[in-house]
Amino acid sequence: MTEQHSPRFERGTDGPKVIVAGVDGSDSSLRAAAYAAGLARRQHALLALVYVQPVLAAGAALGAPVSETTDEIAEDLVAQIRDAAERLKGIYEVRWEFHTFRGDPYNGLVKAADALKADAVVVGASEQAGHRIVGSVAVRLVKAGRWPVTVVP
């Protein structure tokens, strides 16, 4: 009689298989996506590009079309990524997916990394001065200690 074990998910044994990169359209997030694409290519990993659509109750209460605006940002990001992938076709091959999650950037990236079983997370350095006091998404991800986190300037 042979005992069968169900396969267990195991992070980081042979290098990353899924790399999550947070993108929001900022220069640093696009540099992070490019860096993550290079990692994914070298590791033959899946690049999961994640845009977290902010939920702004205050903006919605004032009649601002928050959902439509963030949907437009997501569509623009996908178009930029597809364009870059098409330009590099035949030179660099990277398997990639684009995902959107709703919420604040930190919780959205945590949810994405968990759902996608990420082995690594790559984000751009915050470009907002206030984050030096309160703490950036990158710092919070590092402190969570659940994945290797690379912060790209």
Side-chain angles (χ1 to χ4, degrees):
M1 183 184 252
T2 15
E3 186 178 328
Q4 290 188 345
H5 296 284
S6 62
R8 287 185 47 204
F9 175 66
E10 200 173 315
R11 285 197 170 122
T13 55
D14 295 328
K17 296 297 178 209
V18 178
I19 299 171
V20 166
V23 293
D24 62 8
S26 67
D27 288 343
S28 67
S29 80
L30 296 176
R31 286 191 298 270
Y35 181 86
L39 288 175
R41 179 183 56 81
R42 289 186 297 278
Q43 294 290 331
H44 305 287
L46 172 67
L47 173 61
L49 298 159
V50 175
Y51 170 59
V52 180
Q53 293 180 291
V55 178
L56 304 171
L62 296 172
V66 174
S67 178
E68 289 174 23
T69 302
T70 59
D71 286 345
E72 287 173 17
I73 292 169
E75 289 170 19
D76 183 52
L77 286 169
V78 170
Q80 286 181 48
I81 293 161
R82 280 201 179 111
D83 182 49
E86 193 59 38
R87 283 193 318 266
L88 296 174
K89 198 173 215 160
I91 301 168
Y92 298 115
E93 296 296 328
V94 176
R95 291 181 306 124
W96 64 276
E97 301 173 347
F98 184 82
H99 300 271
T100 60
F101 288 80
R102 290 194 184 273
D104 68 274
Y106 170 76
N107 287 313
L109 284 172
V110 167
K111 188 171 149 186
D114 284 344
L116 299 167
K117 295 187 178 358
D119 295 300
V121 177
V122 179
V123 293
S126 175
E127 295 179 349
Q128 296 179 8
H131 286 173
R132 291 188 189 114
I133 299 165
V134 179
S136 68
V137 171
V139 169
R140 293 174 66 194
L141 288 168
V142 170
K143 285 183 178 179
R146 294 166 63 180
W147 323 266
V149 177
T150 301
V151 182
V152 178

